[in-house]
Amino acid sequence: MAAQNNTSISPATANPIVIFDSGVGGLSIFNSIQARIPGLSVIYCSDNAGFPYGSRPEAFVIERTRNCLMKLVERFDPALAVVACNTASTVALPHVRSQLDIPVVGVVPAIKTAAQVSRNRHIGLLATPATVERAYTRQLIDDFASDCEVTLVGSSELVHLAEDHLQGKVVAPDALEQVIAPFVDNFEKDNGPDTIILGCTHFPLLSKELAAVAPQHIQWVDSGDAIARRVSSLISQPAVNSVPEHKAVFTGDIPVNGLVDYLQRQGFELEGLNG
Ligand code: DGL
């Protein structure tokens, strides 16, 4: 789900957009945006020096998100920024927007969508421990899913498994089974959630693997398509056949592991944010 922003600007086609996350999770949002707007150039920023956000205090997440976004805007002059991290968006968006004069699109758990598609009125939210605790998340549930039972599961483990996955490491199915075990206990009572929200941008990177270890009737919901539509509505469309130039920037060490191959296959050049 896209968190709304009232700013409406039509930026120059040539400017890239920024996609920001604590790690590789925002690449699931990149995939959705890329599928909808293939010619759009993207500056992807991983705050790998601050990773992981999901077990950090709110003040830490606000500070890092705001500082990184300010540096990125100064250096790359983007048309728009996407805070492609639920953990950051649910707490830092007003702080980021008050500092920037470009549209800032936030990514927050797709609770409204899940409530629309759930047939048994029981939905699950799989997110970071921080996101499941946020007042913002509680408010989304009150606003859009007040007639649903909502089972909340916070997992830092799944964030690390998604990072491993993009580095080319094998993710064991039983590790995923353990992550979704709290939902599965419910399934066995026959009144478990029929719809599970992937409320952390890292998790759609493992959507096939999660679906493979879960009961087949489960519907999986994430925010990727909604964010891509929102971005598309806020920018001037790149010319047909324009060739995008993507950069992946890191606040800490530039990776030297399997992630480099993954990013290069997606067309990214790698560099440091501070260098
Ligand atoms: N990808 C982030 C999210 O959407 C969080 C990952 C982390 O814990 O740093 O919540």
Side-chain angles (χ1 to χ4, degrees):
M1 192 194 289
Q4 297 301 305
N5 179 5
N6 293 328
T7 316
S8 177
I9 301 174
S10 275
T13 310
N15 292 37
I17 67 161
V18 156
I19 300 178
F20 173 80
D21 183 40
S22 58
V24 300
L27 291 168
S28 68
I29 300 294
F30 167 78
N31 291 339
S32 299
I33 292 174
Q34 177 74 5
R36 183 164 282 265
I37 324 167
L40 184 64
S41 297
V42 169
I43 309 296
Y44 185 83
C45 179
S46 159
D47 181 16
N48 59 334
F51 174 87
Y53 282 3
S55 49
R56 308 278 200 176
E58 289 192 0
F60 173 94
V61 174
I62 293 169
E63 198 54 19
R64 289 207 69 94
T65 305
R66 182 174 47 200
N67 287 348
C68 289
L69 265 295
M70 285 171 68
K71 274 191 199 164
L72 288 161
V73 168
E74 196 182 308
R75 173 138 157 217
F76 296 105
D77 188 24
L80 169 153
V82 182
V83 179
C85 174
N86 296 258
T87 309
S89 293
T90 49
V91 77
L93 281 181
H95 303 271
V96 174
R97 286 176 176 153
S98 69
Q99 302 288 321
L100 302 180
D101 58 5
I102 56 169
V104 178
V105 176
V107 178
V108 297
I111 287 164
K112 185 177 178 184
T113 309
Q116 283 165 348
V117 302
S118 172
R119 290 176 296 260
N120 72 355
R121 315 313 295 148
H122 186 170
I123 63 184
L125 172 61
L126 185 56
T128 64
T131 297
V132 300
E133 290 297 324
R134 294 266 195 262
Y136 194 109
T137 302
R138 297 280 160 187
Q139 192 62 51
L140 286 176
I141 293 169
D142 288 351
D143 290 347
F144 299 116
S146 56
D147 67 330
C148 292
E149 184 179 343
V150 183
T151 299
L152 304 165
V153 175
S155 173
S156 295
E157 171 72 5
L158 192 53
V159 174
H160 289 279
L161 292 172
E163 294 274 334
D164 288 352
H165 181 57
L166 286 212
Q167 287 172 22
K169 296 182 194 158
V170 175
V171 173
D174 56 348
L176 299 176
E177 272 169 17
Q178 273 180 28
V179 170
I180 63 163
F183 297 123
V184 174
D185 285 349
N186 272 310
F187 302 141
E188 283 170 1
K189 286 183 206 132
D190 212 25
N191 60 353
D194 67 356
T195 304
I196 297 177
I197 303 153
L198 298 176
C200 167
T201 53
H202 277 74
F203 300 170
L205 298 170
L206 285 168
S207 57
K208 279 198 208 94
E209 291 77 4
L210 284 165
V213 298
Q216 290 204 340
H217 72 278
I218 297 299
Q219 312 180 87
W220 299 87
V221 169
D222 67 60
S223 302
D225 289 343
I227 298 303
R229 284 197 300 276
R230 180 80 183 134
V231 168
S232 182
S233 74
L234 286 168
I235 58 161
S236 307
Q237 300 299 309
V240 181
N241 296 333
S242 65
V243 179
E245 289 174 18
H246 301 318
K247 281 195 168 77
V249 298
F250 295 85
T251 59
D253 292 342
I254 298 176
V256 288
N257 52 34
L259 180 59
V260 177
D261 299 335
Y262 179 89
L263 288 169
Q264 287 175 343
R265 279 199 306 275
Q266 308 273 338
F268 283 100
E269 277 174 28
L270 279 62
E271 61 182 75
L273 181 58
N274 302 313

